[in-house]
Amino acid sequence: MARHLITSAIPYINGIKHLGNLVGSQLPADLFARYQRARGNEVLFLCATDEHGTPAELAAAKAGKPVAEYCAEMHEVQAQIAEGFRLSFDHFGRSSSPQNHKLTQHFAGVLADRGLIREVSETQMYSPTDGRFLPDRYIEGTCPNCGFEDARGDQCDNCTKQLDPVELINPRSVISGATDLEMRETKHLFLRQSTMKDELEKWIDSKTDWPVLTTSIAKKWLNDGDGLQDRGITRDLDWGIPVKKGNADWPGMEGKVFYVWFDAPIEYIACAQEWVDAGKGSDWQRWWRTDKGADDVTYTQFMGKDNVPFHTLSFPATILGSGEPWKLVDYIKSFNYLNYDGGQFSTSRGRGVFMDQALEILPADYWRWWLLSHAPESSDAEFTWENFQSSVNKDLADVLGNFASRVTKFCRSKFGEVVPEGGAYGPREEQLIADLTAKIREYEGFMAHAEVRKSATALRAAWVLGNEYLQEAAPWSTFKTDPEAAAAQIRLALNVIRLYAVISAPFIPDASAQLLTALNTQNDSWPDDVPAALASLPAGHSFAVPEVTFRKITDAEREEWQARFAGKRD
């Protein structure tokens, strides 16, 4: 039994996420986790809310609530929505947890002892109007690289270039809109990433199986311009993990907190500690420490491309720099952006369909299928209502749902609600079994490498095989002249429904569970032996005709939703 540690990039606490966030990390991570569990492997699937930094402070201020109270409420909201989308986290933690406080301070102390943190006196933006220093996300302005007018002080959302607030053209305070900003001196800690460039590059070069998107972004940050730069790991903020050197105070750093990018990835480890402390697990170290058993773990991370630099460089610099036996990531699956109907999804600007709204409209499986089958792997993808309607109606309703409905209803009308006996398989049935075996092996290959769209294509192709068989065999015609042969055809087709339910479960878990329930079986074992799997429902086994597995989306619904989500969210 293989062991898989799986983490999704942790979503910001500042509000409900949109579908682009979902498909860029959490949903494909869940697909991979569900698949590995289905294959009998041991899985620890972790995610959390990212609760520190300016987004949390700004959102709490907008909501008129203390930031700790706001974060606690939004964590519960995000956890419930994740459950609504059937995201099967083993634990959904919080970066503000005591475990993450302690571990982040531990890493800072170890890195300092190893000479990898330096103190820097620098000038930073100060807003007299607001009476405070403005960390990078409190400042917006025009990007000097691409001209985007709403670039943040740390990074441009449009071109992804890492920025320093002083580089912005026409900077303004996010709090008040004030433009009378001035530079004042303050002291901060920097992680000396630049000294680790060669070690990081050697490590990245060893990952020959990583997606091109992941390695190209990492290499760009390593080598473009002046190359990998040291990075500030503290901020002048009230909310966050207080700066300490392990358990000790850090002279000169009073009143400062660690920068969110430093503590957020450490939460992956702390989340495993939270999992144990919540009584869900017994030993987090066997997943995270190579001296405690984690050397046989395969660790896969899922994230959007904007998170790649932190996961390929900064977090590995923290892990490697500590000199301690922590588990490093083996595979980083990164995604491009999902755009919305001719523009961009944006949490901050309220554009697009948000996760809670999606679940109000349709069950999770409809969204899971479309998002995963259109995952933005090789390039940016675009959500349109026309494409969504077409994909749901053709793939889910016409191909999968229709197959289950036709087979069970025909069986009920001719043989009753039991798997019919009699007859023998002929060349056509043997060919279907061979074709399904080949397609499932192909599907497994794609799923094992987290190739999401190719997996969806292979799965749909497996569904199509059943429909093509049904059209060719035409049991409704066969029954008129050879009821025994028709019985064999339907016996195989009913077993194909069970097979589909099992292999489709990582994509559409609710529909798969519904089909298994209708077939009156709890046997969800993976079809390692496809011929055997297609004999698992024996003659005489009772079943029920399932409710409509997937209903079609009407033109009127599509038009209504298109109009409803054309503007900003309130």
Side-chain angles (χ1 to χ4, degrees), residues 23 40 46 54 83 112 132 162 174 197 231 240 254 277-278 288 330 364 366 374 385 399 468-469 478 489:
V23 76
L46 302 173
T54 52
E83 190 175 325
R132 61 176 294 170
Q162 181 186 1
V174 171
K197 178 183 181 295
R231 190 84 161 121
E254 297 83 3
D277 292 344
W288 275 110
D330 294 296
Y366 293 72
H374 293 78
W385 287 103
V399 182
E468 290 175 344
Y469 167 75
T478 308
Q489 291 168 350

Side-chain angles (χ1 to χ4, degrees), residues 106-162:
H106 163 80
F107 271 111
V110 171
L111 290 165
D113 290 343
R114 292 173 62 85
L116 289 169
I117 288 179
R118 61 186 176 95
E119 294 186 15
V120 176
S121 290
E122 59 179 10
T123 54
Q124 283 196 351
M125 291 282 192
Y126 185 87
S127 170
T129 301
D130 300 307
R132 61 176 294 170
F133 283 100
L134 297 180
D136 36 35
R137 291 213 171 196
Y138 275 75
I139 308 166
E140 288 186 350
T142 300
C143 175
N145 185 54
C146 71
F148 182 60
E149 293 185 354
D150 294 317
R152 297 193 300 255
D154 61 344
Q155 191 172 6
C156 175
D157 279 345
N158 188 54
C159 69
T160 75
K161 182 176 175 62
Q162 181 186 1

Side-chain angles (χ1 to χ4, degrees), residues 30 34 81-88 364-365 368 509-510:
D30 179 71
R34 286 179 176 274
I81 292 174
E83 190 175 325
F85 274 99
R86 305 298 183 255
L87 302 177
S88 59
D365 281 351
R368 287 178 65 103
D510 286 351

Side-chain angles (χ1 to χ4, degrees), residues 335-351:
F335 292 86
N336 290 284
Y337 293 141
L338 177 69
N339 294 319
Y340 176 75
D341 227 358
Q344 286 187 327
F345 277 97
S346 172
T347 300
S348 60
R349 294 170 181 82
R351 175 174 165 76

Side-chain angles (χ1 to χ4, degrees), residues 47-294:
C47 191
T49 39
D50 187 356
E51 301 189 10
H52 294 138
T54 52
E57 285 197 342
L58 291 170
K62 186 177 179 182
K65 295 180 178 178
V67 64
E69 178 185 328
Y70 172 81
C71 287
E73 288 180 6
M74 285 309 304
H75 176 268
E76 185 58 32
V77 168
Q78 290 202 21
Q80 289 176 358
I81 292 174
E83 190 175 325
F85 274 99
R86 305 298 183 255
L87 302 177
S88 59
F89 306 129
D90 289 293
H91 190 70
F92 187 59
R94 303 182 60 184
S95 70
S96 62
S97 68
Q99 293 89 339
N100 198 38
H101 275 237
K102 185 175 180 181
L103 193 59
T104 297
Q105 291 164 343
H106 163 80
F107 271 111
V110 171
L111 290 165
D113 290 343
R114 292 173 62 85
L116 289 169
I117 288 179
R118 61 186 176 95
E119 294 186 15
V120 176
S121 290
E122 59 179 10
T123 54
Q124 283 196 351
M125 291 282 192
Y126 185 87
S127 170
T129 301
D130 300 307
R132 61 176 294 170
F133 283 100
L134 297 180
D136 36 35
R137 291 213 171 196
Y138 275 75
I139 308 166
E140 288 186 350
T142 300
C143 175
N145 185 54
C146 71
F148 182 60
E149 293 185 354
D150 294 317
R152 297 193 300 255
D154 61 344
Q155 191 172 6
C156 175
D157 279 345
N158 188 54
C159 69
T160 75
K161 182 176 175 62
Q162 181 186 1
L163 297 170
D164 191 281
V166 296
E167 297 177 280
L168 290 174
I169 301 165
N170 300 322
R172 61 188 179 274
S173 165
V174 171
I175 304 169
S176 62
T179 57
D180 61 334
L181 310 183
E182 60 188 53
M183 303 303 293
R184 290 193 184 180
E185 188 167 310
T186 184
K187 185 186 288 186
H188 283 289
L189 302 178
F190 276 64
L191 179 61
R192 299 179 63 200
Q193 296 181 151
S194 60
T195 64
M196 300 184 64
K197 178 183 181 295
D198 291 345
E199 186 176 1
L200 288 166
E201 188 158 31
K202 183 179 178 183
W203 174 69
I204 291 165
D205 285 343
S206 73
K207 304 299 181 182
T208 54
D209 62 335
W210 280 10
V212 171
L213 179 64
T214 303
T215 51
S216 62
I217 293 173
K219 290 282 193 177
K220 181 179 179 182
W221 279 54
L222 272 171
N223 299 310
D224 276 13
D226 296 327
L228 186 62
Q229 300 296 300
D230 294 348
R231 190 84 161 121
I233 61 168
T234 55
R235 285 292 182 268
D236 291 296
L237 288 174
D238 296 325
W239 173 247
I241 296 177
V243 175
K244 285 196 170 187
K245 190 181 291 186
N247 296 320
D249 291 335
W250 204 311
M253 293 293 123
E254 297 83 3
K256 298 180 190 291
V257 299
F258 286 110
Y259 186 16
V260 62
W261 78 257
F262 183 68
D263 81 72
I266 295 170
E267 166 60 17
Y268 293 140
I269 308 174
C271 188
Q273 299 180 18
E274 295 170 50
W275 167 69
V276 170
D277 292 344
K280 299 176 184 177
S282 59
D283 186 359
W284 67 267
Q285 294 191 77
R286 66 187 286 266
W287 291 97
W288 275 110
R289 288 187 66 101
T290 56
D291 61 337
K292 303 286 187 180

